[in-house]
Amino acid sequence: VHTTHSFPTTSRRTRLGMAALAPLLLTLGLPRPSLALGPKDPPPSPENIRSWQWAWNERKLTQNNPKYWRHDPSKEPPYRPPKDWVYNTSSGPIEGKINVHLVPHTHDDTGWQVTVDQYFFTNVYYILDNVVRRLHEDPNRRFMYVETGFFKRWWDQQPESIKNMTRRVVQGGQLEFINGGWCMHDEASPYYVEMVDQTTRGHQFLVDAFGPAANPKGTWQIDPFGHSNTQAWLLSAEAGMGSLFWGRMDYQDGHKRYENSGLEWIWRGSESLGKSAEIFAGELYGRQGSFGYGAPMSFDGTGTQVQDDPSRHDYNIDQQVEEFIGYALEQAKHTKTNHIMWACGNDFNYQNAIHWYRNLDKLIHYVNLNGTVNAFYSTPSYYVEQKNKANIEWEVREEDIFPLADAAHNYWTGYFTSRPALKRQVRFASNLLNAARQMEVVGKLTKDEVGTPTIRPSPPVGTGWTDSLEGTIGVATHHDGMSGTERQDVSDDYELRIAESQTEVEVGMAKSLNLLINNNASTIEFSHCGCAQMEVCLNMSMCAFTADASDGFSVVAWSPIGRPSSQLARVPVTGTNWKVADPNGNMVNASVVPIDDITKNLPLLYINYFQKTKQEIAQMKREYANNATHVLYFSMDLPSMGFTTYTVSPCTQSAVDVAEVSHPVHSTTVTNGIYSLEITDGYTTSLTNLRSNITTAWKIEWGWYNSSTGGCTKEIPGPPASEAQCSSQASGAYMFRPNSSRLFFPGPKVTPTVTVTKTGVVTEVRQVFSEWASHVIRLFDNQPFVEVEWTAGPIPTDTPWIQGETDTGKEVVVRYSTDLESKGTFFTDSNGREMVKRQYNGRGPSYPQPLNVSEPIAGNYYPVNAMIALQDKALNVEMAIITDVAQGGSSIHNGSLELMVHRRVLVDDNRGVQEPLNETMCGCNDINAPPGSMGAHGHLGDGGCICAGLTVRGRHWVILDTIQAAHASRRQLDELLNFPATLAFSAPMETRGDAALPTESENVRRSRDVVRSRSRDFLGEALPANVKLMTLTDNYKDIANGKTLLRLAHLYSVGEHPTLSEPAVVDLKKVFSAPGLTITSAAETSLTGNQPLKQMDDSKLVWKTYDPWNYTGPSPYDERKYMDEASLTVSLRPMELRTFWVTFE
């Protein structure tokens, strides 16, 4: 259910204290205080308020100051308007002066307080419509724009005359696209695959609409809440962009750099690619050095305007010029070179663009007449060019900007986990998209032939049947999307868009498989259980097709990764009498395990009990019930890129291993041939790698941190009720702030119950800590990992087992404790790419030393996209945990790792979303409540919701091994966990050498006779073990003159492994030599396919640098090796991605 909220415009999206001051400041002609801070920043501090009050008092003193002409109009006015009222805006940089680059911009969230379409129709359409016309009026004016997902919506509604006008201002350099992705993505939650996909989509639209003139030259990540190394080196430098700017950074780091003129530096984000992927980066100065993405002035509304007509009252141009100069001179004190940049705009500015442009025109004209400083319209890329021309040395920095804090108790680390269901949906939809794209290429079905278009598609860029899913995933990567920091109905909207587009893709996959298997697009009916609907969700062991298939079924598995693999299938079935055959008719070892009660109950949590009778509730329970009784496990041998088919058939006596009856245990030992696990008194106690002969104490615990609603944290050192301990900051969608470091047991303290189920394929150890915190440990036969499938929720809002506690927000974690000596050091991945070293209560050398981490839990949390690890170097042992969803993680105690798997927080954190993070299984949260009153104190208001809190499930794969062996296996296992085979189910297909089964019906027997192919690999040669087939898509063929986009990724970083970290050589002619996918040509391109690779490299700016931090590490691969165009052989450096436009026959 979606509802349109009345919401404030950007100029009113300020905190209460700022909003109260704004009318007064505007009356006095002072800038809006909101421009110094983004709408998600904290309330003004007493120091801020005092400074504004001081400015007000100062302004009152000057109201009658004769130095301003309006107080003595008998004199000649210092400035008179041009006789023709045409202002001179033609200035450019002047040597020897402070050059102020005025950069008009708007920041347009593709969803936050309302949905992406609601923002478009109420705000963004008018921004773009106005700006293009205002640019057309004056060739000196400039504007930069980021979110092509919005721009494409506007473009599709324009007549050709406006499109031509837009083309002219783009070609003339007036309208510059920066970032150019479908949205301004988050940097903590997305895997690098999603980041690259959404950026590629935006860049391909720009190429199609405007050609090379629209290629983005810079990156503008002004609103995300922390910044990753991967964003710097991959999504910026390797995407052909020369700069990266943002609007918020850690407050201690920012203050130090403000004083040292160090807010800009050269970010060398990849230890593997070194200086070849470095980028000019920096924090925007904001208003008076308070950062943010505004300027010292704002002209977006009807407040103070520049008045230069002496024949009218309120003449203020002399004062405006003086203040402009004062701001510029002050900023120049804290900025290297004589070039400074002002970001002239804010959220959803320029809806009436003439307000900004008319006033900026005047300021440029009169400031330049004054001559003290020089002002002109500019863009970030032009600003960076001028910085480069200064020919000075710049600091090299390697650290990322995580975690971000804007005050002692304000850590932006909660959103690493917020809305875990949406985060996981994006991850799994991304894998589905990659598999579907491959089927689209080899199946050659067009969108029209699929014939099931998404009713409300993403604005189209490509022409394939995967296009809409690509767009809906892309918009969800927004920094107020899968970050989990949007309102509930907006989150619902992202999920709905993905599910709607997934339906089209599933039809396309089914028809493609029909063609590939049967040479006919419609003979075999396929079903998918990919969680687009509740009743078809393998993550809940629900698949109506397989559970009701009394005659058996076939499983078609498509592997996308580019190398052969062995993967486990997990299929819900009814009963135990089954057998499984591979494509050649050979019987496969398989097991059936009963579905546990917690899993059986999951679909019933979706019931909304609001105003339902007992009879209606009973009927809903019958309709929602999971009819399956068991999960069937079997191993599948999969091709490099292609499909294989396994057939599950009923039989009178089970041919699979039926699980022993589950029985409670207190102490036991289980093994799978590689790992041995001991359980004692309800807890795991030790884990042994039998091959490596490594043993460690190993304990899994569930717990929760009590969400602060603001107040004092007494365990933090400092005087009572001091700033060191106290803050009004609450935990919320953005912020993580527990009220203590204590990890509470998830319910009344009890010994966890343990049951063990054993089969030949899998052994399950089920631990239940409470009805809302449990997991299953699985040891698969001869597999090099331990699986922990966790289930969290419904998290209760009350806490009756703790005296004095009622409504309590809970931050739920799973902690893995060992006796390894990690000494506070651990490692987290950067968007699935390089691992980054972390230190408890510490940061890298370029941060202030010593750093004050005044929140001992929240201040040590980092984003974990794929894995987190710790090491005992003395023992040469590593424990790594791979996760299938983005989460916050840390090592709070020596030898332990913890991952926050879920959150339910009952107050808003006052960062603008105006709603607590209080998710339910119904997806509703105060539907009819006004903004600011949603879910107050955990109540659901009058929205018509009585249902369970959100329950989520995911998997951790744990590795315990030598450091080198762990480094080898963790990347391979990450591929299998996050990019598993995509499954489709059909009636039983014929298997070679297998006669008709006696239990088959005649209809099923006939369907088996039409099968042509049961297994096929579309690669002629597998990729090397350290290379991933990342992208293969025909979606942009109409843009790229019939070519297919191919992208490969090196999986390992420099120094990660002695052999797998070496450059990988790929012979494209050998890899793509299979019938139907034989390569005939290849051209190297930038990451996003918008320009030739060598052209991109040749256009990069070269910077003089120095390293004040004495960084050490393995030697990077600074030099790129280009593809041999004759042999089509390419060498990939560690971590490198390479993109090609290719043709096949």
Side-chain angles (χ1 to χ4, degrees):
V1 178
H2 304 279
T3 179
T4 302
H5 298 298
S6 59
F7 61 97
T9 60
T10 303
S11 61
R12 294 190 294 276
R13 287 168 59 195
T14 56
R15 302 288 69 78
L16 179 60
M18 298 171 75
L21 285 171
L24 175 62
L25 297 176
L26 290 172
T27 300
L28 297 172
L30 286 173
R32 295 173 185 269
S34 63
L35 290 178
L37 304 168
K40 305 177 186 74
D41 287 299
S45 66
E47 291 75 17
N48 290 139
I49 296 174
R50 282 195 295 271
S51 69
W52 293 333
Q53 289 173 336
W54 174 88
W56 174 46
N57 291 331
E58 186 73 9
R59 178 57 55 86
K60 285 196 298 183
L61 291 174
T62 62
Q63 290 299 303
N64 296 310
N65 191 326
K67 72 175 182 178
Y68 292 130
W69 181 84
R70 66 178 177 272
H71 303 303
D72 187 5
S74 63
K75 298 179 179 179
E76 176 66 18
Y79 304 102
R80 285 190 177 275
K83 292 182 179 180
D84 58 1
W85 292 93
V86 176
Y87 299 96
N88 182 5
T89 59
S90 62
S91 179
I94 297 177
E95 189 69 30
K97 286 190 176 183
I98 301 301
N99 290 282
V100 185
H101 294 248
L102 301 177
V103 178
H105 81 103
T106 178
H107 173 60
D108 298 342
D109 289 305
T110 51
W112 181 40
Q113 293 180 325
V114 297
T115 69
V116 57
D117 281 342
Q118 290 168 343
Y119 272 137
F120 173 72
F121 286 108
T122 56
N123 298 83
V124 178
Y125 181 93
Y126 304 102
I127 295 170
L128 297 172
D129 222 46
N130 271 273
V131 163
V132 168
R133 288 166 169 81
R134 299 289 83 83
L135 293 176
H136 185 67
E137 294 171 351
D138 182 350
N140 297 310
R141 288 174 177 168
R142 298 290 184 268
F143 194 78
M144 49 148 289
Y145 198 70
V146 173
E147 297 87 0
T148 55
F150 273 139
F151 196 92
K152 184 59 164 66
R153 282 169 166 81
W154 176 81
W155 183 257
D156 287 345
Q157 297 183 12
Q158 299 312 302
E160 197 60 28
S161 60
I162 300 300
K163 288 185 176 182
N164 286 333
M165 181 187 295
T166 308
R167 293 185 181 105
R168 287 192 293 271
V169 297
V170 171
Q171 295 294 326
Q174 291 181 261
L175 175 56
E176 179 174 308
F177 293 95
I178 189 165
N179 266 31
W182 206 236
C183 66
M184 185 184 292
H185 57 225
D186 182 37
E187 297 184 39
S189 304
Y191 206 76
Y192 73 97
V193 173
E194 291 102 60
M195 299 167 80
V196 172
D197 276 352
Q198 79 89 18
T199 306
T200 300
R201 180 177 180 82
H203 287 194
Q204 287 304 303
F205 160 68
L206 295 176
V207 167
D208 188 37
F210 304 108
N215 285 349
K217 299 177 182 178
T219 322
W220 188 257
Q221 290 287 109
I222 56 174
D223 201 27
F225 328 117
H227 304 282
S228 72
N229 283 337
T230 300
Q231 174 63 44
W233 73 264
L234 180 61
L235 277 302
S236 299
E238 288 291 273
M241 293 182 269
S243 62
L244 170 59
F245 293 101
W246 54 84
R248 48 171 63 90
M249 65 188 299
D250 180 83
Y251 74 106
Q252 294 178 74
D253 190 29
H255 291 167
K256 181 197 77 170
R257 291 180 170 276
Y258 172 83
E259 295 297 335
N260 298 334
S261 299
L263 291 172
E264 296 170 333
W265 60 85
I266 302 302
W267 192 349
R268 197 169 288 170
S270 172
E271 64 176 2
S272 300
L273 303 187
K275 64 181 180 182
S276 69
E278 67 186 19
I279 192 168
F280 186 87
E283 167 72 40
L284 295 175
Y285 187 83
R287 180 184 184 270
Q288 293 181 311
S290 58
F291 311 148
Y293 45 87
M297 78 293 286
S298 172
F299 301 116
D300 197 58
T302 57
T304 299
Q305 308 291 300
V306 177
Q307 211 288 74
D308 62 339
D309 186 351
S311 67
R312 297 287 175 260
H313 286 277
D314 302 319
Y315 178 94
N316 65 4
I317 185 57
D318 50 349
Q319 182 178 345
Q320 293 278 350
V321 168
E322 181 180 302
E323 291 181 350
F324 187 107
I325 294 169
Y327 286 131
L329 293 176
E330 179 62 26
Q331 183 171 339
K333 296 177 184 178
H334 305 278
T335 308
K336 289 184 178 179
T337 81
N338 63 341
H339 290 268
I340 63 176
M341 178 169 60
W342 290 0
C344 298
N346 211 281
D347 288 19
F348 300 102
N349 276 205
Y350 291 82
Q351 293 180 56
N352 190 357
I354 193 60
H355 277 274
W356 266 107
Y357 282 119
R358 178 73 171 172
N359 286 282
L360 289 178
D361 288 351
K362 292 179 181 180
L363 283 176
I364 292 171
H365 178 91
Y366 291 111
V367 165
N368 293 342
L369 281 178
N370 177 282
T372 305
V373 301
N374 181 48
F376 51 91
Y377 284 116
S378 187
T379 63
S381 60
Y382 189 66
Y383 170 74
V384 173
E385 288 177 13
Q386 301 306 309
K387 289 283 188 176
N388 183 258
K389 288 180 179 179
N391 202 30
I392 66 171
E393 286 191 336
W394 296 88
E395 168 201 350
V396 167
R397 192 179 194 191
E398 295 183 358
E399 287 87 357
D400 62 5
I401 304 177
F402 284 121
L404 186 150
D406 55 38
H409 301 282
N410 305 1
Y411 282 89
W412 299 67
T413 54
Y415 80 101
F416 298 161
T417 297
S418 297
R419 301 199 187 280
L422 175 58
K423 283 179 166 65
R424 197 170 189 274
Q425 183 183 18
V426 170
R427 176 73 58 86
F428 277 72
S430 179
N431 180 50
L432 178 75
L433 173 64
N434 283 329
R437 285 165 162 172
Q438 294 173 1
M439 295 184 208
E440 191 171 32
V441 170
V442 298
K444 299 179 174 60
L445 276 176
T446 67
K447 185 179 182 72
D448 289 340
E449 288 170 325
V450 171
T452 312
T454 303
I455 296 174
R456 293 174 294 186
S458 177
V461 173
T463 54
W465 45 267
T466 57
D467 182 75
S468 186
L469 181 59
E470 175 185 288
T472 55
I473 294 171
V475 77
T477 65
H478 170 54
H479 62 270
D480 278 313
M482 69 179 298
S483 60
T485 54
E486 71 279 20
R487 290 184 182 167
Q488 181 65 59
D489 58 315
V490 179
S491 178
D492 294 345
D493 183 70
Y494 289 127
E495 294 167 2
L496 177 64
R497 290 171 189 273
I498 293 173
E500 288 177 341
S501 298
Q502 183 173 325
T503 300
E504 178 182 7
V505 164
E506 289 180 348
V507 173
M509 291 168 62
K511 292 191 174 183
S512 295
L513 288 173
N514 261 287
L515 280 174
L516 300 172
I517 293 171
N518 193 37
N519 205 27
N520 187 305
S522 59
T523 303
I524 305 170
E525 291 188 8
F526 283 100
S527 178
H528 304 271
C529 292
C531 298
Q533 295 87 33
M534 177 198 71
E535 66 273 11
V536 287
C537 187
L538 290 176
N539 196 42
M540 297 195 302
S541 298
M542 287 191 74
C543 184
F545 186 92
T546 60
D548 297 337
S550 59
D551 287 326
F553 53 91
S554 285
V555 182
V556 180
W558 183 281
S559 177
I561 60 178
R563 301 177 309 281
S565 64
S566 178
Q567 300 185 32
L568 268 293
R570 316 168 191 225
V571 185
V573 295
T574 302
T576 60
N577 292 342
W578 301 98
K579 66 177 181 178
V580 182
D582 69 12
N584 296 314
N586 302 313
M587 291 300 104
V588 175
N589 290 334
S591 298
V592 288
V593 176
I595 298 175
D596 63 279
D597 291 339
I598 290 176
T599 300
K600 292 283 283 188
N601 188 58
L602 289 177
L604 304 183
L605 299 177
Y606 284 95
I607 295 176
N608 185 351
Y609 291 87
F610 183 71
Q611 295 182 346
K612 296 292 191 301
T613 65
K614 290 183 178 180
Q615 293 77 11
E616 289 172 328
I617 292 171
Q619 178 62 27
M620 293 178 73
K621 287 183 176 180
R622 288 190 292 270
E623 293 174 354
Y624 284 32
N626 185 355
N627 294 329
T629 61
H630 293 74
V631 174
L632 173 67
Y633 291 90
F634 59 92
S635 181
M636 303 180 294
D637 292 326
L638 300 172
S640 301
M641 188 200 87
F643 67 90
T644 193
T645 306
Y646 285 78
T647 299
V648 179
S649 307
C651 51
T652 54
Q653 184 175 356
S654 181
V656 300
D657 190 6
V658 180
E660 301 173 7
V661 177
S662 300
H663 55 279
V665 298
H666 293 286
S667 301
T668 190
T669 300
V670 295
T671 183
N672 67 347
I674 296 180
Y675 285 101
S676 176
L677 175 65
E678 290 189 8
I679 299 102
T680 304
D681 297 330
Y683 289 93
T684 58
T685 52
S686 73
L687 181 65
T688 299
N689 186 315
L690 300 173
R691 290 184 178 177
S692 301
N693 196 29
I694 294 170
T695 298
T696 181
W698 198 65
K699 185 178 184 180
I700 306 179
E701 300 173 273
W702 281 80
W704 57 278
Y705 294 110
N706 193 345
S707 307
S708 175
T709 58
C712 301
T713 308
K714 295 180 180 179
E715 64 192 58
I716 297 174
S722 67
E723 184 180 353
Q725 294 181 335
C726 305
S727 168
S728 61
Q729 181 62 60
S731 210
Y734 298 93
M735 318 303 287
F736 172 36
R737 189 188 177 210
N739 63 8
S740 75
S741 298
R742 178 181 174 183
L743 189 67
F744 292 86
F745 192 86
K749 182 69 174 179
V750 296
T751 299
T753 62
V754 178
T755 56
V756 177
T757 305
K758 294 182 179 180
T759 73
V761 175
V762 61
T763 296
E764 293 189 348
V765 178
R766 186 174 307 280
Q767 286 185 282
V768 178
F769 285 67
S770 71
E771 61 183 7
W772 51 278
S774 65
H775 61 255
V776 180
I777 304 170
R778 294 191 179 96
L779 296 177
F780 295 103
D781 183 47
N782 211 36
Q783 292 294 316
F785 62 90
V786 177
E787 176 175 287
V788 179
E789 184 178 68
W790 51 268
T791 304
I795 302 172
T797 57
D798 59 348
T799 317
W801 60 89
I802 299 179
Q803 187 175 2
E805 294 287 349
T806 53
D807 292 335
T808 307
K810 298 175 179 64
E811 328 264 357
V812 180
V813 306
V814 178
R815 178 180 288 173
Y816 299 83
S817 299
T818 73
D819 57 8
L820 300 176
E821 287 292 333
S822 58
K823 300 179 180 179
T825 300
F826 60 108
F827 304 84
T828 63
D829 71 287
S830 176
N831 306 108
R833 293 274 78 195
E834 289 176 324
M835 298 293 285
V836 182
K837 182 179 178 180
R838 310 298 190 185
Q839 185 68 39
Y840 181 77
N841 274 353
R843 305 288 187 268
S846 68
Y847 276 80
Q849 305 294 334
L851 190 78
N852 176 31
V853 181
S854 50
E855 285 289 330
I857 305 299
N860 285 289
Y861 257 65
Y862 293 86
V864 178
N865 296 100
M867 64 186 80
I868 184 172
L870 58 76
Q871 299 172 353
D872 187 325
K873 291 191 174 180
L875 297 177
N876 187 30
V877 175
E878 173 169 305
M879 179 177 71
I881 303 173
I882 306 166
T883 179
D884 64 352
V885 63
Q887 298 171 334
S890 187
S891 178
I892 301 298
H893 302 286
N894 184 49
S896 77
L897 295 173
E898 67 184 52
L899 289 158
M900 185 183 293
V901 297
H902 198 1
R903 315 177 69 213
R904 194 175 191 184
V905 185
L906 306 183
V907 298
D908 179 43
D909 56 13
N910 200 32
R911 296 306 171 118
V913 73
Q914 302 177 11
E915 180 180 295
L917 187 68
N918 184 14
E919 295 185 277
T920 69
M921 293 294 282
C922 301
C924 50
N925 187 343
D926 285 9
I927 292 173
N928 294 327
S933 302
M934 301 180 188
H937 311 298
H939 300 303
L940 294 176
D942 59 354
C945 283
I946 301 177
C947 63
L950 179 70
T951 299
V952 290
R953 171 173 284 180
R955 293 173 184 152
H956 296 156
W957 284 7
V958 182
I959 304 168
L960 178 71
D961 214 327
T962 64
I963 294 175
Q964 181 176 311
H967 286 189
S969 61
R970 66 190 187 184
R971 295 288 185 180
Q972 304 297 322
L973 292 174
D974 174 36
E975 286 291 290
L976 297 181
L977 180 60
N978 285 298
F979 301 92
T982 295
L983 305 183
F985 304 98
S986 74
M989 299 181 194
E990 180 182 3
T991 51
R992 295 170 186 166
D994 185 19
L997 299 171
T999 57
E1000 287 182 330
S1001 68
E1002 186 61 28
N1003 286 337
V1004 170
R1005 193 173 295 119
R1006 283 199 299 268
S1007 73
R1008 297 170 71 241
D1009 296 334
V1010 299
V1011 175
R1012 181 174 66 91
S1013 175
R1014 297 155 206 83
S1015 183
R1016 188 173 176 185
D1017 195 334
F1018 290 91
L1019 298 187
E1021 179 179 284
L1023 288 168
N1026 53 1
V1027 176
K1028 169 187 178 65
L1029 177 56
M1030 180 174 162
T1031 310
L1032 185 69
T1033 178
D1034 273 347
N1035 191 38
Y1036 309 124
K1037 288 188 80 168
D1038 285 6
I1039 300 173
N1041 298 317
K1043 294 182 174 63
T1044 298
L1045 184 76
L1046 166 67
R1047 188 179 288 119
L1048 305 176
H1050 197 300
L1051 291 173
Y1052 291 81
S1053 61
V1054 64
E1056 189 172 5
H1057 190 270
T1059 58
L1060 294 169
S1061 290
E1062 290 295 307
V1065 177
V1066 179
D1067 187 331
L1068 296 180
K1069 286 185 177 180
K1070 289 183 179 179
V1071 172
F1072 296 100
S1073 61
L1077 201 65
T1078 302
I1079 196 166
T1080 56
S1081 70
E1084 286 195 283
T1085 181
S1086 63
L1087 177 71
T1088 61
N1090 65 350
Q1091 57 189 303
L1093 181 61
K1094 193 169 189 313
Q1095 175 184 310
M1096 181 195 81
D1097 286 345
D1098 290 344
S1099 66
K1100 287 185 176 181
L1101 298 174
V1102 178
W1103 300 90
K1104 290 184 176 180
T1105 60
Y1106 67 97
D1107 175 12
W1109 314 114
N1110 298 316
Y1111 290 117
T1112 59
S1115 298
Y1117 289 81
D1118 289 319
E1119 186 175 348
R1120 194 194 311 275
K1121 291 186 178 181
Y1122 297 103
M1123 181 184 68
D1124 185 304
E1125 295 182 359
S1127 65
L1128 300 190
T1129 300
V1130 63
S1131 176
L1132 279 76
R1133 296 173 291 171
M1135 278 289 116
E1136 188 175 27
L1137 275 64
R1138 297 293 277 272
T1139 307
F1140 312 86
W1141 288 113
V1142 301
T1143 57
F1144 297 111
E1145 63 176 15

